[in-house]
Amino acid sequence: SSSTILVFTLGGSHPVIGFTLDPQLGEFVLTHPNMRVPKRGTYYSVNEGNSWLWDASIRHYIDKIKRGEGETKKRYSSRYVGSMVGDVHRTLLYGGIFGNPGDVKHRNGKLRLVYECSPMSFLVEQAGGGSCTSDGGSVLEVVPESVHQRSTCWLGSIEDVEELRSYLIPEETN
């Protein structure tokens, strides 16, 4: 079955809140009063269709978690539906990591910074998760240069994002 869910936060110390549409009432009902991303997940969501074009550090990270050779020593399962909203919603509820990596054809990925990457990163971080760009920097610290600017984006469970970041940033600069 499916449902329509509205998720939002006011930022600051306010929680991430989820409302589910009750079609019989015609109203949104509070169903998730304090959404929290689990600290660690077992899913990854990324379009692997062009994975051979990714930076080696990202390919290495994804290969490690797929084989159960990451920090948790558990094999991660791929859960990718091709919709950022759907994939991030699952990540909010169950943890793991969602990615929009760049590749040699699209260095800055395919998602838009202002109305895709930043808002979703804000929600996930407010819910206790993390986010970063493919260079390891903060998505929320990227200053947009244009409305439709593209950006790489990784977000999800804080420990999964930090593990990815360790692959992206050489140890001597950490």
Side-chain angles (χ1 to χ4, degrees):
S1 81
S2 65
S3 56
T4 301
I5 298 176
L6 170 68
V7 177
F8 79 95
T9 182
L10 298 174
S13 62
H14 299 284
V16 174
I17 302 168
F19 294 86
T20 303
L21 179 63
D22 182 327
Q24 293 177 329
L25 292 175
E27 297 177 1
F28 282 91
V29 178
L30 178 63
T31 53
H32 298 84
N34 186 16
M35 297 179 85
R36 303 295 298 164
V37 179
K39 292 201 180 299
R40 187 63 92 159
T42 58
Y43 301 116
Y44 71 97
S45 298
V46 63
N47 182 352
E48 295 182 84
N50 289 326
S51 60
W52 74 93
L53 300 173
W54 297 345
D55 289 339
S57 58
I58 292 172
R59 279 196 318 271
H60 186 61
Y61 168 73
I62 295 295
D63 287 344
K64 287 280 197 182
I65 63 172
K66 282 167 47 171
R67 290 189 305 234
E69 297 172 2
E71 290 177 359
T72 67
K73 303 299 183 208
K74 293 180 180 175
R75 293 176 68 183
Y76 278 47
S77 298
S78 175
R79 296 287 187 274
Y80 181 74
V81 298
S83 163
M84 182 188 201
V85 172
D87 286 325
V88 172
H89 179 255
R90 183 190 49 258
T91 303
L92 269 170
L93 294 176
Y94 304 112
I97 191 163
F98 166 85
N100 169 51
D103 60 39
V104 295
K105 289 198 269 183
H106 306 96
R107 292 304 308 160
N108 294 323
K110 293 184 177 180
L111 296 178
R112 308 303 177 140
L113 174 66
V114 173
Y115 46 89
E116 292 171 318
C117 298
S118 291
M120 290 297 193
S121 294
F122 182 69
L123 274 176
V124 168
E125 288 191 20
Q126 281 294 122
S131 70
C132 70
T133 61
S134 288
D135 66 3
S138 169
V139 173
L140 297 178
E141 291 179 8
V142 176
V143 177
E145 295 174 12
S146 70
V147 173
H148 303 295
Q149 176 180 334
R150 296 178 191 273
S151 178
T152 59
C153 178
W154 294 88
L155 48 90
S157 296
I158 190 71
E159 292 177 8
D160 290 318
V161 171
E162 290 305 317
E163 180 178 358
L164 167 66
R165 193 176 261 136
S166 75
Y167 285 76
L168 301 175
I169 302 174
E171 196 139 324
E172 59 273 7
T173 63
N174 266 345

